Amino acid sequence: MTAGKNWNWKGDLMGGASAALAAVPVELVYGLFAVAPLGSVYANHGLRAAVWGCVLGGLLGAVFRCTGGMLTGSRPATGLILGALASSLLHHPDIQSARDPLALIFILLLSCTAFAGAMQWLFGVARVGRALKFVPYPVLAGLLCGVACLMTLSALRPIVGVGNGTPWSNVFGVWHPLSAIVAFVTLAVCVKGPKLTKRIPGVVLALFVGTAVHHALVALFGVGMLGSTSGHIDGLVPELSVLQGLREFGPAMLIDWVPTLAPFALSIAAFASLETMLCLSSIESATHVRANGDRELRVQGLANLLAGSFGATPAVGNLSRVVMNVSTGGRTPVSGLAYAAVMALVALVAGHWVGLVPSAVTAGILLFYANAMVDDGVRRLVRQVMRQRSQFAPEQYRTLLVNVTVVFLVALVAVFGGMMKAVGVGVVAAVVIFVHSSMKPPIRRVYACKNCRSLKVRTPAHMEILEAEGGRIAVIEVDGTLFFGTADRLAVEAERVASEASLIIIDMQRVRDVDPTGARTLLQIARKLRGKKVRVAIAGAPRLIESFLTAMGLSVEIPVTDWHADLDVALECAEDELLAKHGVDDCHATVRLSETALTAGLTPMQVDILSGYMNRRVLASEGRVFGQGDAGESVFVATDSVVDILIPLNDGRQKRVASFAPGIVFGEMALLEGKPRSADAVVKGPSAVLELARYRLDEIMQAHPEIACQVLHNLSVILAGRLRLTTQALRLQAEG
């Protein structure tokens, strides 16, 4: 999205500036995650690298034309991954032997950022943005819950006023109890701030209120009762960068660390890409403009590649800042420029004031964001598993239990094993969930067609034949993916059904994919059942799946006449064949008026009188009896051809909703209601229909009231019968 003649520059400036002000206290918290293992001496470096990442993210996003409304910044997950990398590097012999170990570690953290940016760019080139949207929810939720737990743990020591390096066994010997008051006041303002004022973001208000409370308590009780303050931001551009590391340590040395950095960089790239997809979904919902996820990954990847090279830690899509930006009016990359400018101004002008912010305040803000990372979906899942078991079927409850288990497993690994292992467990869990969902039984339902019919309405005599013989037609509805893990279930079910059926229709309209094993299984089913004198027909297979099955040789065993567009057509053909075996051809039979349900109960003389009031309309091939919207002034009787009832679709096609064999009455609803026709009625071939107009029925009512009453009674019976069939179909669908 670029600026045009209707560009709302005020919205962009306000959106970017508001998001920047709200981001400052957050960057104070997240900026320390990556450098926490390096001690307080590197706190200033961590804060500057985080803010510098936000500034470069806004600037480079505008230069590379990022998605309008997108803002980037530090995220706890990426900071924790860098922190885990820093911890592992501290104990490495090559690091310990370096002339400046901490500087080398920090430069390797920046190198990991650049490396992650390159990977994110490759993600965009490989077009994996769409795939990332389909990461299973329990895996993503588990990772976020793990990050929330780690954030909470990192806040516990500052809450009681001690440093993060203090052993837990010594905490209560050196703690500062009043720091807890500052932390919980800050947390309370974060929660209640939006209700107090809409003009100041809750976190910004909490920053000022918490800091004021801290210094007021210092004035009353002294420094000894409260914890320390945060490190200050001494400038904007970091002192260390990858480019400086290349000069100081040499390219060869940094290249040697690539295998060590690669898994951490890959994890950061994956997290950054997921966060970006979430942000794009929010932007699309607010602006109603479809974003290009792969392009945004390339833009952010290139930005992080450059940012890491020039001394910044990762800046990725930040949902809270995006929401604030877009809701305030930010719509173009110009909002990113405003965001970068305000962040830089705060660092340059007020950076030294950051040192007044107590650690307890940042801990309170950290608790607020940790709680926000555990979304309502996780809470709802836990509540359902713990308290609402009786409301779910056993299979549904097992599915819920599996999902909750995955959430907690990934979160626990993140807390006790580290973020890297949690990412690995998440990948494995995603595969397990995919296989579990794909391995579900492919059979949706199986039924004989004794009480299930096509949409074709037939005469009562023909319906009696179908009710008696319909059990010879069976339908197997297949659902999901037909692959090596599920195809055998279909083979077993088909063999079981074949013991009672002479025709098996495999309904594949809900099949999403078929692999070679699934295609081979279908071929073997058709071949084996043919030896038992049982035919197999395919209905509703999507075009791509049908082409694949044909290419795999299934058309050799199942002739083209047994491939049907949908289940209704397949059922109609099966019914026609069944009736033909009993000497009935109701597709082309000529039916006299006396043989129709309209004249039931009338004497031959009364039928002749009724016939005199009816008009015979001759129609050519594919002729239309009436159209949607036409006045409903007549009832019709098909005499020698099938009549289809069609409704038009938005894409120009038509959908059949009913079909009437010769001898069937149709169009009676509009006649009785006096409303326009709701569909088209079309004959399949050259035909004639008998028409009884409303005004002619009124004439019969005057001249032959007994005939008119019987006709109306017959129409009521016809409608009742169709309602009963509809009820049976709905019951069967509900049972499936």
Side-chain angles (χ1 to χ4, degrees), residues 644-668:
D644 284 339
I645 305 299
L646 310 172
I647 57 173
L649 302 177
N650 292 332
D651 59 3
R653 297 179 300 150
Q654 290 182 310
K655 178 178 176 63
R656 186 175 79 162
V657 294
S659 183
F660 300 110
I664 300 300
V665 178
F666 64 96
E668 70 283 350

Side-chain angles (χ1 to χ4, degrees), residues 232-293:
H232 63 282
I233 302 177
D234 186 15
L236 178 61
V237 181
E239 297 176 1
L240 299 175
S241 68
V242 173
L243 297 178
Q244 182 179 344
L246 291 174
R247 292 193 300 268
E248 186 171 346
F249 298 100
M253 184 176 181
L254 295 183
I255 292 174
D256 289 341
W257 286 100
V258 168
T260 302
L261 302 181
F264 293 90
L266 180 59
S267 298
I268 291 174
F271 265 108
S273 301
L274 286 171
E275 293 277 0
T276 297
M277 292 302 107
L278 292 173
C279 292
L280 289 181
S281 297
S282 178
I283 291 173
E284 288 175 352
S285 299
T287 63
H288 308 292
V289 176
R290 187 166 183 80
N292 186 331

Side-chain angles (χ1 to χ4, degrees), residues 184 309 386 408 448 537 584 611 626 665 667 691:
F184 289 113
S309 301
M386 299 294 292
F408 279 97
V584 175
S611 177
F626 56 74
V665 178
E691 176 184 10

Side-chain angles (χ1 to χ4, degrees), residues 298-596:
R298 295 195 297 270
V299 169
Q300 287 193 18
L302 189 56
N304 275 323
L305 173 61
L306 294 174
S309 301
F310 288 96
T313 47
V316 304
N318 190 299
L319 186 58
S320 60
R321 298 177 201 180
V322 166
V323 170
M324 180 175 291
N325 182 31
V326 173
S327 62
T328 311
R331 291 292 187 274
T332 77
V334 174
S335 62
L337 291 175
Y339 170 76
V342 173
M343 288 289 287
L345 186 65
V346 170
L348 292 172
V349 175
H352 61 284
W353 293 102
V354 172
L356 296 175
V357 179
S359 299
V361 168
T362 58
I365 295 173
L366 199 60
L367 286 179
F368 173 74
Y369 279 105
N371 179 70
M373 295 193 79
V374 183
D375 67 12
D376 290 338
V378 172
R379 296 184 174 93
R380 191 177 299 110
L381 277 175
V382 174
R383 186 166 57 250
Q384 289 169 340
V385 168
M386 299 294 292
R387 302 179 182 177
Q388 302 175 5
R389 180 171 184 173
S390 60
Q391 299 180 16
F392 299 97
E395 185 175 347
Q396 290 176 317
Y397 184 78
R398 283 194 295 271
T399 301
L400 288 173
L401 196 59
V402 168
N403 282 269
V404 171
T405 301
V406 170
V407 171
F408 279 97
L409 177 63
V410 175
L412 287 173
V413 173
V415 174
F416 296 104
M419 287 301 300
M420 284 298 300
K421 292 181 180 178
V423 171
V425 170
V427 171
V428 173
V431 173
V432 170
I433 290 174
F434 170 76
V435 172
H436 179 267
S437 63
S438 299
M439 289 283 285
K440 71 176 184 178
I443 310 300
R444 182 171 181 265
R445 60 177 177 170
V446 180
Y447 55 90
C449 296
K450 192 170 185 178
N451 297 313
C452 179
R453 298 281 178 272
S454 69
L455 293 173
K456 188 173 183 179
V457 182
R458 306 173 191 268
T459 63
H462 298 165
M463 294 291 284
E464 288 180 7
I465 297 174
L466 293 178
E467 287 179 6
E469 300 293 332
R472 303 296 297 168
I473 305 170
V475 175
I476 301 177
E477 292 185 3
V478 186
D479 189 10
T481 302
L482 193 62
F483 75 123
F484 66 89
T486 60
D488 186 62
R489 289 290 300 273
L490 176 60
V492 172
E493 193 64 33
E495 201 163 339
R496 184 189 67 80
V497 173
S499 62
E500 298 180 357
S502 59
L503 172 64
I504 297 177
I505 302 172
I506 300 179
D507 182 12
M508 302 186 67
Q509 67 172 341
R510 296 178 181 83
V511 174
R512 296 189 296 273
D513 197 10
V514 178
D515 76 346
T517 303
R520 182 69 179 173
T521 301
L522 285 171
L523 189 147
Q524 291 172 340
I525 289 171
R527 182 177 297 164
K528 188 172 184 178
L529 296 186
R530 186 180 61 179
K532 297 182 178 182
K533 308 299 182 183
V534 178
R535 282 171 48 217
V536 175
I538 302 294
R543 185 173 300 175
L544 290 176
I545 291 179
E546 182 177 336
S547 299
F548 176 72
L549 294 176
T550 302
M552 292 295 292
L554 191 59
S555 57
V556 175
E557 297 296 333
I558 302 178
V560 66
T561 52
D562 285 332
W563 293 73
H564 304 287
D566 55 45
L567 179 60
D568 180 52
V569 174
L571 286 173
E572 181 182 336
C573 292
E575 292 167 357
D576 290 342
E577 291 178 7
L578 195 59
L579 290 172
K581 290 179 181 179
H582 289 75
V584 175
D585 182 6
D586 73 346
C587 291
H588 303 95
T590 299
V591 179
R592 296 188 299 272
L593 179 62
S594 59
E595 299 172 326
T596 68

